[in-house]
Amino acid sequence: MNQTYDAIVIGAGVMGASIAFHLAERGLQTAILERKVTASGATGHSSGLVRMHYDLAAESELTYKSYQVYFSNWKERVGGDCGFQQTGFLQIARREHEDKLRGNVANQQKIGINTSVISADEVKKLFPDLITEHFDYAAYEPDSGYADATLTTNSFIEAAKRNGTTLIQNCEVTSIHAAGGKVTGVSTNKGDFEAPLIINAAGAWAKQVASLAGIEVPLETWTHDVAFLYRPPLLGRIPACIDDVINCYYRPEGSALILAAGEDESLRGEPPDAEDQTPTPTFLEKLIDQMVQRIPKIEESGLHSIHVGRDGITPDQRAIYSGTDLNGFYLACGLSGTGFKTSPAAGASLAELILDGKPKTVDITPFRFERFAEGKLLEGEYGYGHIWK
Ligand SMILES: Cc1cc2nc3c(=O)[nH]c(=O)nc-3n(C[C@H](O)[C@H](O)[C@H](O)COP(=O)(O)OP(=O)(O)OC[C@H]3O[C@@H](n4cnc5c(N)ncnc54)[C@H](O)[C@@H]3O)c2cc1C
């Protein structure tokens, strides 16, 4: 197979799918090359939280646009389904972080996000099954919730295909070609492909893929366990929640299950292809110990299943959406365990950066690749510290 395209996207996770969708809308003949099948990487294991609370305004803007233009309006904007469920979202803050919580919420309100600081008593009124003794305040986003990352990816790809995109699965990029400082194409196990634009959206493998183009990206991997628990029969309404006091996040999973994960048992630096189906031995016990502090009815729950996912993570735990010194070679990687919810607007903005020289949907220039070489890592104005310890 030797084919010529306007653009090649490496990786059919949600990021590659979103970029292909937006490039195809602009009329580019695009090929998505995927070494396995769609959503087989981080995306297929994503917890799918859609919340706008970040300590970095640029990330809040990306989710806000992703929610406003895409998740809440999926059928009209993209077609198909993304499985968005509006459950409300709570960011429970430690007492010593009250000022930071208020600062972040004020910044998010300036963006237009529907969020406010509410007291522990107000949390109790909204969600009576939550124990509210170990915190004073939380941020509450009534519009937020979760979506289905695999469905999101597949409907982006179906829409891109309607606009002429070609998806080639079981197709691993093994080398990247360049001439005169510009990319020209790739070699794969299914032959050679030519294109003047190549976008590296290879998730946990993006470091290896960038090295095929002679580019060193400071990426390691982050491996994260997620449990699905049976919903206790008498449990009332719960929101999607990041709970900084017990270091867990959780949300409903349909009507029968609860998804829950801890934030401090994840592994760093596993090889991207390492066996990824085995949770860390202490994961479940620790998770349940933490969860019952907030939702005692979890005692009446049972384990449905556990899965393990792996993403690429950067030194500042923020994504890279950027061109490089190699003309036509772009990076959309290092999504650092939080890149599902931002992928629609990030893909739109990267397509604008590529085609117009300037992003319009959201200013993604803070996520430029050069920040690492310059030692200018991204930090939130009211940072809580790294999300992943
Ligand atoms: C367990 C877990 C829970 C998460 N929860 C959330 C959440 O609640 N909310 C949120 O916003 N984010 C969350 N994230 C993060 C989010 O899911 C990821 O940031 C996002 O899915 C990454 O998408 P991606 O397309 O960049 O990477 P991936 O989905 O990993 O896709 C990369 C693709 O590239 C392919 N590939 C690799 N090398 C090659 C090659 N050489 N040639 C061809 N193809 C190649 C891979 O096979 C893979 O399919 C979570 C992540 C994990 C792991």
Side-chain angles (χ1 to χ4, degrees):
M1 204 185 283
N2 188 343
Q3 297 201 51
T4 304
Y5 292 91
D6 297 326
I8 289 171
V9 177
I10 304 174
V14 73
M15 196 62 236
S18 172
I19 294 164
F21 168 82
H22 288 98
L23 291 177
E25 274 197 331
R26 297 283 298 268
L28 269 72
Q29 288 293 316
T30 303
I32 313 174
L33 308 183
E34 164 55 51
R35 68 175 206 143
K36 287 192 171 171
V37 295
T38 61
S40 54
T43 299
H45 298 103
S46 184
S47 302
L49 260 69
V50 176
R51 44 102 185 176
M52 301 173 223
H53 194 95
Y54 275 95
D55 60 25
L56 188 75
E59 286 179 307
S60 291
E61 280 180 47
L62 278 173
T63 329
Y64 179 51
K65 275 281 153 63
S66 295
Y67 162 75
Q68 209 189 25
V69 179
Y70 299 85
F71 290 121
S72 65
N73 190 34
W74 195 265
K75 257 193 183 56
E76 290 68 30
R77 179 64 188 88
V78 181
D81 198 2
C82 68
F84 180 67
Q85 300 290 328
Q86 185 187 338
T87 57
F89 168 77
L90 271 183
Q91 170 82 42
I92 295 182
R94 292 190 214 151
R95 290 197 164 103
E96 67 269 26
H97 285 166
E98 182 187 334
D99 289 350
K100 293 180 176 191
L101 185 81
R102 290 187 184 283
N104 286 324
V105 167
N107 281 347
Q108 289 149 19
Q109 287 169 338
K110 279 184 217 149
I111 294 169
I113 294 169
N114 181 12
T115 180
S116 56
V117 174
I118 62 173
S119 67
D121 287 347
E122 288 169 293
V123 171
K124 189 81 188 168
K125 279 187 201 131
L126 286 168
F127 306 105
D129 280 321
L130 265 53
I131 295 290
T132 53
E133 277 154 23
H134 2 54
F135 68 95
D136 293 331
Y137 293 101
Y140 181 50
E141 298 171 11
D143 299 336
S144 296
Y146 69 95
D148 181 322
T150 300
L151 213 47
T152 300
T153 304
N154 287 333
S155 47
F156 263 143
I157 290 177
E158 283 309 308
K161 281 170 149 180
R162 290 194 290 276
N163 282 327
T165 292
T166 306
L167 167 70
I168 306 175
Q169 302 183 88
N170 300 310
C171 179
E172 179 168 1
V173 172
T174 50
S175 56
I176 295 177
H177 309 300
K182 295 180 182 171
V183 283
T184 55
V186 300
S187 294
T188 75
N189 57 317
K190 290 195 170 174
D192 292 344
F193 297 81
E194 289 172 8
L197 275 176
I198 297 176
I199 298 102
N200 174 0
W205 298 263
K207 184 183 176 79
Q208 282 80 347
V209 167
S211 72
L212 300 176
I215 291 172
E216 176 68 25
V217 181
L219 266 188
E220 61 174 346
T221 63
W222 169 82
T223 304
H224 182 61
D225 304 333
V226 177
F228 295 85
L229 308 171
Y230 287 105
R231 189 183 181 101
L234 298 177
L235 182 69
R237 178 180 168 230
I238 61 163
C241 181
I242 294 181
D243 194 325
D244 270 354
V245 176
I246 60 165
N247 263 344
C248 292
Y249 67 86
Y250 37 88
R251 63 163 175 81
E253 167 72 9
S255 55
L257 299 176
I258 292 171
L259 177 155
E263 297 200 358
D264 45 19
E265 289 273 290
S266 303
L267 300 174
R268 297 280 282 272
E270 299 289 289
D273 282 316
E275 168 62 51
D276 62 1
Q277 293 308 318
T278 315
T280 45
T282 49
F283 163 68
L284 187 62
E285 197 184 327
K286 185 160 182 192
L287 177 70
I288 300 300
D289 282 354
Q290 289 163 314
M291 286 287 293
V292 292
Q293 294 176 47
R294 181 69 65 223
I295 310 176
K297 285 187 181 150
I298 287 290
E299 290 272 26
E300 297 149 35
S301 178
L303 179 66
H304 172 275
S305 54
I306 297 179
H307 73 201
V308 185
R310 182 170 293 133
D311 204 356
I313 189 166
T314 68
D316 59 11
Q317 303 197 357
R318 324 277 177 174
I320 308 170
Y321 303 120
S322 182
T324 63
D325 286 344
L326 180 60
N327 213 314
F329 188 66
Y330 287 84
L331 300 171
C333 56
L335 273 58
S336 300
T338 80
F340 165 66
K341 67 184 82 56
T342 45
S343 60
S349 307
L350 188 69
E352 290 154 4
L353 178 75
I354 293 170
L355 298 176
D356 309 326
K358 208 173 166 224
K360 199 174 87 197
T361 302
V362 173
D363 180 9
I364 49 166
T365 52
F367 301 99
R368 68 207 169 90
F369 176 44
E370 300 80 32
R371 71 183 192 270
F372 302 106
E374 292 165 2
K376 293 182 181 155
L377 300 194
L378 287 170
E379 263 181 65
E381 188 179 353
Y382 301 101
Y384 298 118
H386 277 349
I387 312 175
W388 315 119
K389 315 295 181 299

